[in-house]
Structures are given as structure tokens and as C-alpha cells.
Amino acid sequence: MTTRWTIGIDWDRDGNYTDETARVLSAKWTRGFQQAYMDVGNDA
């Protein structure tokens, strides 16, 4: 099973998202603990 992501951007900040998936060259994000024994997880 393949996971497909959609990149939506709310350009006008009005709750209506535009599908910009075709324009995205790359995307990277992290959430939570990046290393063992961290006291606080990253929120980036």
C-alpha cells in the first residue's frame, strides 16, 4: 500500500485550502523526539 500526501495551503487564511501538491518539489517535517532520552520533543 502506497501512502499519498496532499499539500494544501490556505493562502487567504480563510479556511479554504488550495491543492498545491503538483508545485511542491520536496517536503520534510519532524515531530516528537529526534534522539533517545530527550526531555522535550521537537515541535518543528
Side-chain angles (χ1 to χ4, degrees):
M1 176 185 274
T2 302
T3 302
R4 293 193 62 166
W5 297 93
T6 301
I7 307 297
I9 300 175
D10 182 4
W11 294 110
D12 299 322
R13 297 182 183 184
D14 60 1
N16 295 316
Y17 288 82
T18 303
D19 183 359
E20 297 289 344
T21 306
R23 295 176 178 232
V24 176
L25 299 177
S26 68
K28 180 179 176 182
W29 66 91
T30 59
R31 297 283 295 176
F33 297 102
Q34 298 301 307
Q35 299 173 359
Y37 307 110
M38 291 178 63
D39 292 331
V40 178
N42 295 335
D43 190 14

